[in-house]
């Protein structure tokens, strides 16, 4: 049996070209490097936009690295035992985000050892996948928001997503209405409240905004409010999308069994890596709901090329100026290209996501992955 010989990690900050908020000017990347007993190497990462990156790094450095040594280097065989080992510190959140650093590196090593990309190793089912334009833009003026939407139109996106949740519903109505007018009737429009509403406000807001032909409302309530989402789904006609802040296949199952979501959006890093992401995709398929992976198109896009077909076309989120390649964070060329609203894969081995050693003056490191 091929086992894990070592796991090392390095924390660094990646500056954002367009800040997501006044206090979110960079994202934390914990680059990981695994060596197997047969000498094969793999590179992965964990990720946290602003909060918790140091805690993720500490968990990788102090707990996961030690517990992983000697375990099976086959990702699916390793993951469950490691999750059970970490469960005392929490079933999801920091623990699954950290565990993704190991899981992604193991998938990378497995594919690299065969001279394949990860999508080929899993089994690529399509050569391209549609993308949508996205941005963290609630703090933008209306003029800046419309300028961003125009850039997405010019780039060939057939669907876009904007943030909502202004203190005054009327301002949300004005902004969404202006975006719909600019998009015209044929492009898709999604809105994302980022957990800003309670049930009453969500009901009123969606009723006021639904006339703009919305493809979905994302995270209208607190992410873990199962009962609230279930009731909201009963009240409104716009599909509810959520999942970027759910961390296990078990929790996704809870929401789907309750009818609380019609679209799921697992974040591959937050759920613990590729291994649990594939299981969540199975859960979504069992319930007949669409899956659109959250963020990280260089990673999400590769997995989207490998998932089975569903009733709804899969969409990959491309946040403006936030891709690792565009931010200059990668040591190698980006493993994917987004052009004319489609994502395609470039030739590479493994995940093709090795991070440059130093990205900013406030980067910190313990091991050189």
């Amino acid at each position: 049996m091929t086992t894990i010989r070592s796991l090392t990690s390095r924390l660094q900050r990646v500056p954002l070209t367009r800040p997501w908020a006044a206090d979110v000017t960079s994202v934390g990347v914990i680059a990981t490097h695994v060596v197997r007993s047969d000498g094969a190497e793999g590179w992965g990462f964990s990720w946290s936009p602003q909060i918790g990156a140091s805690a993720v790094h500490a968990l990788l450095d102090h707990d996961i690295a030690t517990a992983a040594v000697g375990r099976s280097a086959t990702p699916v065989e390793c993951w469950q035992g490691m999750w059970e080992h970490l469960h005392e510190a929490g079933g999801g959140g920091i623990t699954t985000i950290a565990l993704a650093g190991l899981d992604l590196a193991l998938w990378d090593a497995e594919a690299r050892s065969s001279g394949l990309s990860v999508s080929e190793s899993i089994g690529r089912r399509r050569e391209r996948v549609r993308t949508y334009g996205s941005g963290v833009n609630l703090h933008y003026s209306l003029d800046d928001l419309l300028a961003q939407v125009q850039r997405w139109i010019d780039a060939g996106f057939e669907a876009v997503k904007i943030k909502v949740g202004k203190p005054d519903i009327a301002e949300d109505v004005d902004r969404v209405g202006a975006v719909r007018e600019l998009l015209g009737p044929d492009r898709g429009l999604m809105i994302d409240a980022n957990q800003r509403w309670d049930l009453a406000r969500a009901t009123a807001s969606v009723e006021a905004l639904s006339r703009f032909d919305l493809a979905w409302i994302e995270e209208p309530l607190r992410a873990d409010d199962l009962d609230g989402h279930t009731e909201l789904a009963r009240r409104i006609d716009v599909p509810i999308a959520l999942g970027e802040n759910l961390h296990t296949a078990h929790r996704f199952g809870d929401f789907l069994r309750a009818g609380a979501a019609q679209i799921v959006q697992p974040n591959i890093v937050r759920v613990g890596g590729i291994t649990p992401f594939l299981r969540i995709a199975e859960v979504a398929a069992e319930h007949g709901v669409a899956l659109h992976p959250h963020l990280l198109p260089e990673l999400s896009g590769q997995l989207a090329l490998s998932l089975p077909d569903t009733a709804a076309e899969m969409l990959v989120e491309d946040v403006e100026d936030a891709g690792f390649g565009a931010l200059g964070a990668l040591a190698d060329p980006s493993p994917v290209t987004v052009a004319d609203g489609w994502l395609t894969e470039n030739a590479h081995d493994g995940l093709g996501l090795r991070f440059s050693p130093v990205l900013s003056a406030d980067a910190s490191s313990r091991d050189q992955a």
Side-chain angles (χ1 to χ4, degrees):
M1 179 180 71
T2 304
T3 60
I4 299 167
R5 180 186 297 169
S6 66
L7 172 70
T8 56
S9 60
R10 180 186 71 242
L11 168 62
Q12 54 201 85
R13 303 295 309 182
V14 180
L16 290 167
T17 304
R18 297 178 188 274
W20 291 353
D23 60 343
V24 185
T25 59
S26 65
V27 295
V29 169
I30 304 90
T32 55
H33 177 215
V34 71
V35 180
R36 304 192 319 191
S37 59
D38 62 357
E41 298 177 86
W43 288 264
F45 69 99
S46 295
W47 165 91
S48 183
Q50 188 69 10
I51 303 299
S54 294
V56 170
H57 185 209
L59 197 62
L60 273 160
D61 200 26
H62 294 298
D63 296 296
I64 294 177
T66 301
V69 171
R71 291 179 185 264
S72 171
T74 301
V76 175
E77 293 178 3
C78 179
W79 196 89
Q80 183 67 25
M82 285 298 303
W83 182 73
E84 291 171 0
H85 174 75
L86 295 171
H87 199 272
E88 188 173 301
I94 294 294
T95 53
T96 48
I97 292 170
L99 188 51
L102 172 61
D103 185 75
L104 293 178
L106 290 176
W107 278 97
D108 184 68
E110 185 170 280
R112 285 177 183 274
S113 67
S114 301
L116 301 172
S117 70
V118 165
S119 72
E120 292 171 325
S121 181
I122 294 171
R124 189 187 299 158
R125 296 171 183 262
R126 56 192 64 84
E127 293 305 313
R128 65 178 189 168
V129 64
R130 197 179 295 277
T131 57
Y132 67 90
S134 181
V136 184
N137 48 32
L138 189 64
H139 60 297
Y140 285 19
S141 69
L142 179 56
D143 286 344
D144 287 342
L145 174 62
L146 293 176
Q148 183 179 55
V149 173
Q150 186 63 56
R151 289 193 294 273
W152 289 330
I153 294 171
D154 295 342
F157 290 108
E158 292 297 321
V160 307
K161 185 174 76 180
I162 67 169
K163 304 294 186 182
V164 293
K166 290 290 189 178
D168 186 347
I169 292 177
E171 188 173 359
D172 277 337
V173 170
D174 289 343
R175 288 165 68 89
V176 176
V179 169
R180 170 49 78 194
E181 183 177 2
L182 180 59
L183 288 174
D186 297 328
R187 287 186 172 86
L189 173 59
M190 297 81 83
I191 58 173
D192 181 0
N194 279 127
Q195 309 181 72
R196 287 184 173 85
W197 296 331
D198 60 18
L199 181 59
R201 181 61 180 268
T203 303
S205 294
V206 174
E207 287 177 351
L209 297 169
S210 62
R211 67 177 183 268
F212 299 116
D213 189 20
L214 305 175
W216 72 64
I217 169 62
E218 187 169 328
E219 284 197 328
L221 309 175
R222 193 183 70 245
D224 57 356
D225 186 357
L226 175 58
D227 291 342
H229 281 99
T230 303
E231 173 60 20
L232 182 63
R234 189 187 65 79
R235 295 182 180 185
I236 65 175
D237 294 327
V238 177
I240 295 174
L242 53 80
E244 67 179 88
N245 288 297
L246 301 182
H247 299 101
T248 68
H250 309 292
R251 197 60 176 151
F252 278 89
D254 291 340
F255 274 74
L256 292 177
R257 282 189 296 273
Q262 292 72 56
I263 295 163
V264 293
Q265 302 166 301
N267 181 292
I268 298 173
V269 170
R270 286 176 175 166
V271 301
I274 293 170
T275 299
F277 176 82
L278 293 177
R279 175 58 189 141
I280 291 164
E282 292 176 355
V283 173
E286 290 165 3
H287 286 83
V289 304
L291 183 150
H292 305 305
H294 174 255
L295 283 184
L296 307 174
E298 287 106 334
L299 174 61
S300 296
Q302 296 187 59
L303 273 293
L305 294 172
S306 306
L307 295 179
D309 290 328
T310 60
E313 182 180 21
M314 195 177 313
L315 299 173
V316 171
E317 183 177 16
D318 186 26
V319 174
E320 186 178 41
D321 292 338
F324 291 133
L327 294 173
L330 300 179
D332 306 307
S334 175
V336 304
T337 294
V338 175
D340 299 321
W342 292 91
L343 179 144
T344 55
E345 190 169 282
N346 303 321
H348 66 277
D349 288 343
L351 287 170
L353 290 169
R354 296 190 300 173
F355 287 84
S356 301
V358 177
L359 297 173
S360 66
D362 66 337
S364 63
S365 64
R366 298 183 186 181
D367 299 290
Q368 294 302 305

